[in-house]
Amino acid sequence: MTGLYDVIRPEFNALVLQNVGLMKLSSGHMWTEGPVWVPAHQCLYFSDIPNQRILRWTPDGSVTPLRNSSNFTNGNTLDAQGRLVSCQHGTRSVVRTEHDGSISTLAHSFNGKRLNSPNDVVVKSDGSIWFTDPTYGIMGNYEGNRAVPEQPLKNVFRLDPDSGEIDSVVSDFCQPNGLAFSPDESVLYVAESGRSHREDIPAVVRAFDVQGGRTLANPRVFATVSAGLPDGIRVDAFGNLWVSSADSVRCFSSEGELLGRILVPEVVSNLTFGGPRNTHLFITATTSVYAIHVNVEAPPRR
């Protein structure tokens, strides 16, 4: 183990670069989350949830506000049209920022009851939006507004943005968190972060087979995190899964074998691939945002 990498399997050496360092891009925040690279504007958006801000980092090093009243936005992603899709704790909804800057609400309730606090979100190639709905944003007033949950379960949802139809695809998580599709979209990975409040909940990422593009089957434990708990997750072009943890970003092979770790000096919340040449791994970690050049990139859009 070096000061930057913990190489568990030799395959990890092909995914990272030995002549680079971990760069701190921004600091002084309260809890950073939701990083997403925006190719059209060559910048990174990320959330500072308690400060209710979405911020913008550009390669010249500047960090400027994108939105100063973000309703405790957590996870962010882009749809196929390049529109920002976000999870808001404050409104307990999934919203989309239109090209003209207006905000459309895509989901706020299920079975006639308010959502808990949508947390993380991904968009599938068919346009469907998949998001997790734990209760972190209504458990207190730090990352949202304290409220009594109306949903009896903590679901993973599939949303059809055209019809507004919303379906629960998984309902047996304690606190579902980050999620990511495999490169061919045949598998959905979902982080279980319930250990944050219940010690008996395993700190794992579960995998599900995607059937017909709409439902999930064959649930199984894909990977276990030994430090802290899994939060944000991303898949690279080779099918490896990169997972946030208390001490590092962990990289698991597509078979669930731990290949290695990138050590980070703060608790990692989330991560994403991007950058001007798509060679950065951006890492949100407690009060700061970091980046490191890697030797792999995100899968191409389907």
Side-chain angles (χ1 to χ4, degrees):
M1 185 168 66
T2 67
L4 181 58
Y5 300 125
D6 179 16
V7 179
I8 308 298
R9 298 285 302 172
E11 298 93 319
F12 189 60
N13 287 312
L15 305 176
V16 295
L17 300 168
Q18 298 298 328
N19 61 334
V20 302
L22 186 68
M23 302 172 286
K24 182 181 285 189
L25 306 182
S26 183
S27 62
H29 310 292
M30 293 179 70
W31 179 248
T32 62
E33 256 284 6
V36 57
W37 179 255
V38 185
H41 301 292
Q42 289 293 291
C43 67
L44 178 81
Y45 294 162
F46 66 94
S47 301
D48 182 356
I49 303 176
N51 280 319
Q52 296 201 59
R53 297 188 299 176
I54 301 176
L55 297 165
R56 178 199 297 111
W57 174 88
T58 51
D60 64 1
S62 65
V63 178
T64 55
L66 174 72
R67 190 166 297 151
N68 277 318
S69 299
S70 70
N71 284 309
F72 299 99
T73 291
N74 187 338
N76 298 288
T77 193
L78 300 180
D79 67 10
Q81 288 75 47
R83 295 172 296 187
L84 184 68
V85 179
S86 305
C87 295
Q88 293 186 347
H89 288 180
T91 61
R92 296 162 70 171
S93 63
V94 177
V95 302
R96 183 177 63 212
T97 302
E98 307 297 344
H99 291 305
D100 64 2
S102 62
I103 297 176
S104 301
T105 298
L106 303 179
H108 61 83
S109 63
F110 177 65
N111 286 343
K113 299 180 179 180
R114 294 188 71 183
L115 299 174
N116 293 318
S117 55
N119 185 285
D120 206 359
V121 58
V122 291
V123 177
K124 197 169 173 291
S125 61
D126 63 2
S128 60
I129 296 170
W130 302 59
F131 66 95
T132 54
D133 190 38
T135 55
Y136 290 121
I138 57 174
M139 297 178 75
N141 294 320
Y142 185 67
E143 293 188 29
N145 304 302
R146 182 181 288 109
V148 176
E150 296 181 23
Q151 294 294 327
L153 302 170
K154 286 78 173 270
N155 294 279
V156 179
F157 288 113
R158 179 191 183 276
L159 166 68
D160 184 326
D162 295 323
S163 68
E165 179 184 359
I166 181 172
D167 296 302
S168 171
V169 292
V170 185
S171 60
D172 63 347
F173 277 83
C174 177
Q175 295 281 27
N177 206 313
L179 69 175
F181 284 104
S182 62
D184 64 1
E185 298 184 337
S186 65
V187 177
L188 178 69
Y189 302 101
V190 183
E192 168 63 90
S193 61
R195 181 170 285 186
S196 59
H197 292 82
R198 281 183 51 185
E199 292 185 359
D200 61 314
I201 301 299
V204 299
V205 176
R206 295 167 65 188
F208 302 83
D209 294 334
V210 181
Q211 296 190 331
R214 301 185 64 91
T215 60
L216 302 180
N218 190 26
R220 57 208 181 265
V221 171
F222 174 79
T224 300
V225 169
S226 59
L229 48 86
D231 191 333
I233 58 179
R234 289 293 187 274
V235 172
D236 68 27
F238 298 119
N240 303 304
L241 185 70
W242 299 71
V243 181
S244 65
S245 74
D247 59 3
S248 60
V249 173
R250 295 166 183 248
C251 179
F252 295 87
S253 73
S254 57
E255 289 74 41
E257 183 176 23
L258 180 61
L259 302 180
R261 301 184 297 147
I262 301 174
L263 304 177
V264 180
E266 300 182 67
V267 173
V268 180
S269 61
N270 215 324
L271 58 145
T272 196
F273 293 98
R277 299 184 63 192
N278 205 28
T279 57
H280 284 70
L281 181 64
F282 293 101
I283 303 165
T284 53
T286 312
T287 65
S288 305
V289 179
Y290 297 87
I292 186 170
H293 284 272
V294 290
N295 200 34
V296 69
E297 54 278 326
R301 279 192 173 271
R302 290 169 56 84

